[in-house]
Amino acid sequence: MQNPAILRRLLDLASERLGVLGPAGELRAANASLRALLGEPADGAEFVGLLHAADRAAWSEAWARLGAGGPVRVVARPRAGEVPVSWDLSRAPGEEEACVVGRPAEDPRALRGEVLRSVVANVPIVLFAVDGRGTLLLLEGRGLTALGLEARSHAGESVYEVFAGLPALVDGVRRALAGLSLRGVFEFTDRHFETWTAPFHDEQGRQLGAIGVATDISETVRSEKRLRELNEKLEVARDEAIEASRAKSAFLANMSHELRTPLNAIIGYSEIVLEELRGRADQVSTDIQKIHTAGNHLLGIISDILDLSKIEAGRMELHIETFAVKAMLDDVVATAQRLMTRNSNAFEIDAAADLGEMTADLTKVRQILFNLLSNAAKFTAEGRIALAVRRLPAAAGDRSLDWFEFVVEDSGIGMSAEQTDRLFQTFYQADSSTTRKYGGTGLGLAISRRFCQMMGGEIAVESVHGVGSTFRVRLPARISGQTAPLEEALREPALTDRPTSEPAPQAMLVIDDDPNVYDMMERILSREGLEVYGAATGKEGLALARKLKPVVIALDIMMPGMDGWAVLQAIRADPELRETAVVVVSMLDEKPLGMALGADDYLTKPLRREQLLASIQRLVPVRDGYILVVEDDEGLRELLQRTLLEEGWSVRMASTGPQALEMVEQSRPGLILLDLKIPGLDGFEVLTQIRGRPEFARVPVAVMTGLELSREDWERLSGRVEQVIQKGMYSRNRLMREIRRLAAHFVRR
């Protein structure tokens, strides 16, 4: 450079900050604007040292990238300032010196300020700040008009005057100036605002004033209100639906009772008359047979309608049990055999003897098969009907994953493709002429399909019009579900088949190390029909109890080795013994402790005969007595009385709940046959009152009902009755077989 002075004057004329840097980045020349920006540096000063310490690394990186040609840009602040400057570095080819040009860079802080102002201007909020005296420093926002405030600068005004009509905001400011933060919601005219106020401080932590935000949440509040109203409407609709379902369930239960009870009498009396007319071939016998057949047919239709109603109401449940498939088939075939002979059909069975067991709902599987066989028999005349059963093993050979396939094939009227497509629809039959000619409701196949689906299976049909039909049912061999349903547990009590002439003696166990106690109890209680056994130690007594299953245990406390308290706890913890009645007989006067540990009674020695007899008679089920029939239907009541008397039982009758309780009070029955739907007090209340009296707590009760019992009903009966007999599901002979079995177990005639 030949004349530096001229060059400097030229640079000074430029409006931009211009300079020349040497090969090492030293400042060789600069115009006035650049010198003023950098603080009038000396010639030869290192340029990087004239910049803000935080920006020097960025400058060094840009200088290292500088080559010949286009500029390299870097933003860096001067050492003495905070304003960012955009620097352009360039070097001509072959030159060692570089040019530097500085221009104002966009200030991020200014940009943030613009963004903030835009937010405040467009979002429905109000921002405010006050000093320690409550003077407004800032009041801005689109929400000002919604608060009834002017959209202008209010700086310098008192916040208490500006917010005079907004007590919620005034309160928030006062609290913030007192050092507290506050959140809240207030309503102004028809709008809602959410507020937040808090103190603000300087860098030294000194409080300078208060800041706040008020946000218009009116739309949110309105949306929440609409949502609440909608939820309330949904809750009302839900409650109405629940009530409608409850009413429907009650209606179905009542209909079940009202229809099945008279049908039970019709079918029962017709069976009695048929037995009396056995061997006669006159018109009367034929008419009675028709009545019996029609009654059973009507019962089947009613049961189908109630089943479908339960399915649609979601009240149909699976009652899973394990059963032998061959035995189930034998039962179905025996029932269906009579249907086959009506139209002179040949009935063929193809089933292996070793099909094994199935875990499913036995009643529903049986009903599916009977529906299919019944249909086949109805629509086939002088033809062939076949039932084939196969077990289909899983590919891996795991029998838990096996399937059963049931195939019913007939040579009947068959169906078209269009008819088979709609066959499993509710109330559908192939055509109207089918209904006129063959009868039926069209429910059987629809119900069968629902049952299959409930058990994880399927049903399908193949048919050719005029040739015949084939129905295939596939069901898993093991269906998961409730393994011990209340219904089944109550319907089939674990009673042993004992001779009706003389019931087996009831066992009593005396656990006492004093042989005199055993001897006395044996002498007294053997006259009461009890077979008394003795054990001298607690361990021996527990072993004997598990073997004998006694109806009552007399237990001493002070015994060597295992004392009576330990024995009592072991009895109550044993699933096989926990329901056994236990009478503590001890020298210790610890009745509260004994009763708390599960004793049924507590007697202190020396033992009195009357005291012992009273306790045992209260706890041991009565074997003598009469059968009390509680039934409001006159026809069924007379049928039961007539049949039971013919069989040699002592019988008493009650038609209302209060009458039944009065009879029980007068004379303890040996067995109660209880209808649930009786006037005065229903059967549930009668049962509750009987079980609430200690002297009647162990009187056996069998429920007879035509009601469609709910899950809650079964739970109310569980553990309180010996059996539930549903009217309409039993023929007269089976009904009497069940009653005879109960009576033989509990009543001596």
Side-chain angles (χ1 to χ4, degrees):
M1 182 176 300
Q2 298 297 322
N3 195 332
I6 295 175
L7 177 61
R8 185 177 293 114
R9 299 222 25 201
L10 288 173
L11 293 175
D12 289 340
L13 294 174
S15 60
E16 295 178 317
R17 291 132 179 175
L18 304 176
V20 178
L21 304 180
E26 73 277 14
L27 182 64
R28 289 188 173 181
N31 66 357
S33 297
L34 180 58
R35 289 183 177 279
L37 179 66
L38 299 176
E40 300 298 333
D43 290 341
E46 187 180 13
F47 193 86
V48 69
L50 303 174
L51 302 176
H52 199 288
D55 298 335
R56 290 172 185 173
W59 173 271
S60 298
E61 191 270 335
W63 182 258
R65 290 190 287 113
L66 179 63
V72 175
R73 181 167 293 175
V74 61
V75 177
R77 294 164 293 175
R79 181 175 58 191
E82 292 292 332
V83 179
V85 177
S86 179
W87 302 98
D88 287 331
L89 298 170
S90 63
R91 177 182 288 137
E95 295 289 337
E96 293 184 353
E97 295 176 326
C99 296
V100 60
V101 181
R103 300 181 181 89
E106 291 185 350
D107 189 347
R109 291 169 299 180
L111 182 60
R112 287 196 297 270
E114 289 298 324
V115 171
L116 181 59
R117 282 190 289 275
S118 178
V119 169
V120 173
N122 291 282
V123 177
I125 63 174
V126 174
L127 294 176
F128 60 87
V130 300
D131 62 16
R133 295 185 300 274
T135 302
L136 281 166
L137 304 174
L138 171 71
L139 180 59
E140 296 185 22
R142 202 180 82 184
L144 285 172
T145 55
L147 286 175
L149 301 174
E150 295 183 41
R152 61 174 178 80
S153 176
H154 293 268
E157 299 180 38
S158 171
V159 70
Y160 305 114
E161 294 178 1
V162 175
F163 289 173
L166 303 168
L169 286 181
V170 173
D171 182 61
V173 171
R174 286 197 175 107
R175 294 196 183 199
L177 292 175
L180 302 174
S181 296
L182 178 68
R183 290 185 180 274
V185 176
F186 73 93
E187 186 175 358
F188 181 77
T189 62
D190 62 340
R191 307 190 72 81
H192 291 79
F193 290 84
E194 183 179 38
T195 63
W196 173 79
T197 53
F200 74 90
H201 307 81
D202 61 15
E203 294 180 354
Q204 286 73 42
R206 294 172 297 188
Q207 183 172 339
L208 300 178
I211 57 175
V213 179
T215 306
D216 190 344
I217 59 170
S218 303
E219 287 300 322
T220 302
V221 171
R222 282 192 285 268
S223 297
E224 291 176 349
K225 182 180 179 181
R226 288 194 295 268
L227 182 60
R228 284 195 303 272
E229 292 173 349
L230 181 59
N231 286 335
E232 290 172 358
K233 291 180 180 178
L234 290 174
E235 288 177 1
V236 171
R238 180 203 62 193
D239 293 342
E240 291 176 348
I242 292 173
E243 184 59 33
S245 177
R246 188 179 295 114
K248 181 179 179 180
S249 299
F251 173 78
L252 291 173
N254 287 330
M255 283 299 96
S256 175
H257 178 273
E258 297 299 330
L259 294 172
R260 285 174 172 168
T261 297
L263 274 175
N264 202 76
I266 293 170
I267 295 170
Y269 276 115
S270 62
E271 287 180 347
I272 291 176
V273 175
L274 285 173
E275 288 180 2
E276 294 177 352
L277 297 177
R278 186 175 296 169
R280 291 176 53 177
D282 55 10
Q283 188 61 44
V284 174
S285 178
T286 302
D287 291 344
I288 298 299
Q289 182 62 59
K290 290 179 180 179
I291 293 172
H292 184 261
T293 302
N296 280 310
H297 179 67
L298 181 58
L299 179 61
I301 293 174
I302 292 170
S303 297
D304 283 349
I305 293 173
L306 292 174
D307 280 348
L308 184 64
S309 299
K310 288 174 67 177
I311 292 172
E312 292 180 344
R315 297 177 56 247
M316 181 64 74
E317 298 178 353
L318 292 178
H319 306 301
I320 307 301
E321 57 185 304
T322 300
F323 54 90
V325 177
K326 188 63 169 62
M328 181 272 295
L329 288 177
D330 291 342
D331 185 30
V332 171
V333 169
T335 305
Q337 189 71 56
R338 296 179 306 210
L339 302 176
M340 304 302 169
T341 58
R342 293 178 184 174
N343 289 341
S344 303
N345 290 307
F347 190 22
E348 301 174 4
I349 312 297
D350 181 11
D354 59 346
L355 289 169
E357 293 183 335
M358 186 176 186
T359 301
D361 190 315
L362 172 60
T363 301
K364 291 180 176 56
V365 175
R366 191 160 47 200
Q367 187 171 339
I368 292 169
L369 294 179
F370 188 76
N371 283 343
L372 296 180
L373 291 171
S374 177
N375 274 352
K378 182 191 300 184
F379 298 115
T380 306
E382 298 181 354
R384 169 183 170 274
I385 298 171
L387 170 62
V389 184
R390 294 186 298 162
R391 187 163 191 155
L392 308 176
D398 185 357
R399 288 189 67 98
S400 64
L401 301 177
D402 290 356
W403 288 74
F404 278 100
E405 183 179 64
F406 305 89
V407 181
V408 176
E409 184 180 2
D410 66 67
S411 60
I413 61 176
M415 293 170 287
S416 66
E418 181 183 359
Q419 291 169 337
T420 58
D421 288 341
R422 297 183 292 163
L423 187 62
F424 296 104
Q425 296 178 11
T426 305
F427 299 105
Y428 175 79
Q429 289 192 333
D431 55 45
S432 58
S433 63
T434 300
T435 304
R436 291 193 300 270
K437 183 175 180 180
Y438 299 100
T441 61
L443 293 176
L445 291 177
I447 293 171
S448 297
R449 185 184 188 187
R450 303 283 185 91
F451 285 172
C452 287
Q453 292 171 341
M454 288 177 66
M455 290 185 284
E458 59 185 9
I459 184 173
V461 61
E462 300 172 3
S463 187
V464 178
H465 186 66
V467 177
S469 303
T470 300
F471 289 84
R472 294 180 188 274
V473 173
R474 283 170 53 92
L475 296 173
R478 295 185 61 84
I479 299 169
S480 59
Q482 185 180 345
T483 57
L486 296 172
E487 297 93 323
E488 296 299 327
L490 293 171
R491 189 178 295 136
E492 300 292 340
L495 303 178
T496 57
D497 293 328
R498 296 171 177 168
T500 59
S501 59
E502 185 68 28
Q506 295 170 294
M508 176 179 176
L509 176 61
V510 179
I511 307 176
D512 199 309
D513 61 333
D514 187 349
N516 294 323
V517 173
Y518 165 75
D519 183 67
M520 182 190 69
M521 288 191 181
E522 199 277 333
R523 289 190 176 197
I524 295 174
L525 298 176
S526 62
R527 300 175 183 178
E528 301 298 317
L530 292 173
E531 198 166 66
V532 184
Y533 298 83
T537 67
K539 187 176 181 181
E540 179 187 350
L542 284 174
L544 196 57
R546 294 185 180 103
K547 180 180 179 181
L548 294 173
K549 304 294 190 300
V551 294
V552 64
I553 297 174
L555 176 64
D556 187 24
I557 297 298
M558 300 177 65
M559 295 185 295
M562 191 178 190
D563 65 16
W565 301 127
V567 174
L568 179 58
Q569 290 177 306
I571 291 172
R572 292 297 179 240
D574 192 319
E576 296 183 358
L577 300 176
R578 65 176 51 157
E579 301 300 327
T580 306
V582 177
V583 181
V584 173
V585 184
S586 175
M587 295 291 293
L588 299 176
D589 189 10
E590 294 284 354
K591 184 174 182 178
L593 176 60
M595 302 304 285
L597 291 176
D600 295 279
D601 203 353
Y602 196 106
L603 307 178
T604 55
K605 298 178 181 177
L607 200 59
R608 300 189 305 272
R609 180 178 180 277
E610 295 77 13
Q611 185 186 24
L612 176 63
L613 283 175
S615 178
I616 298 302
Q617 288 173 355
R618 182 175 65 85
L619 295 175
V620 176
V622 176
R623 298 290 288 270
D624 295 326
Y626 64 95
I627 299 175
L628 174 60
V629 178
V630 187
E631 172 62 62
D632 65 322
D633 183 80
E634 184 178 359
L636 182 56
R637 191 168 64 245
E638 291 179 356
L639 173 63
L640 289 170
Q641 183 181 32
R642 174 179 173 179
T643 305
L644 290 171
L645 289 174
E646 288 176 354
E647 300 236 349
W649 306 105
S650 177
V651 185
R652 296 184 185 179
M653 313 298 292
S655 58
T656 67
Q659 187 181 3
L661 292 175
E662 184 179 354
M663 288 186 176
V664 172
E665 187 73 32
Q666 293 173 354
S667 178
R668 177 174 168 172
L671 173 65
I672 301 175
L673 301 178
L674 177 65
D675 186 18
L676 292 178
K677 195 172 186 294
I678 49 177
L681 294 173
D682 66 16
F684 290 107
E685 183 59 31
V686 171
L687 182 62
T688 298
Q689 293 200 28
I690 291 174
R691 293 293 183 244
R693 296 277 298 274
E695 62 270 31
F696 303 135
R698 295 180 179 269
V699 173
V701 178
V703 165
M704 299 187 304
T705 182
L707 294 173
E708 198 69 32
L709 299 178
S710 66
R711 183 88 187 149
E712 291 73 20
D713 293 335
W714 286 108
E715 290 174 352
R716 291 172 69 185
L717 296 174
S718 180
R720 305 175 73 192
V721 301
E722 275 60 44
Q723 187 165 358
V724 174
I725 301 171
Q726 289 198 286
K727 298 174 182 177
M729 297 183 64
Y730 290 76
S731 66
R732 172 180 172 271
N733 290 335
R734 186 181 174 191
L735 175 65
M736 292 313 306
R737 186 166 64 249
E738 296 299 322
I739 293 175
R740 188 183 299 113
R741 189 167 76 158
L742 286 163
H745 189 65
F746 294 109
V747 186
R748 179 180 293 147
R749 56 185 175 180

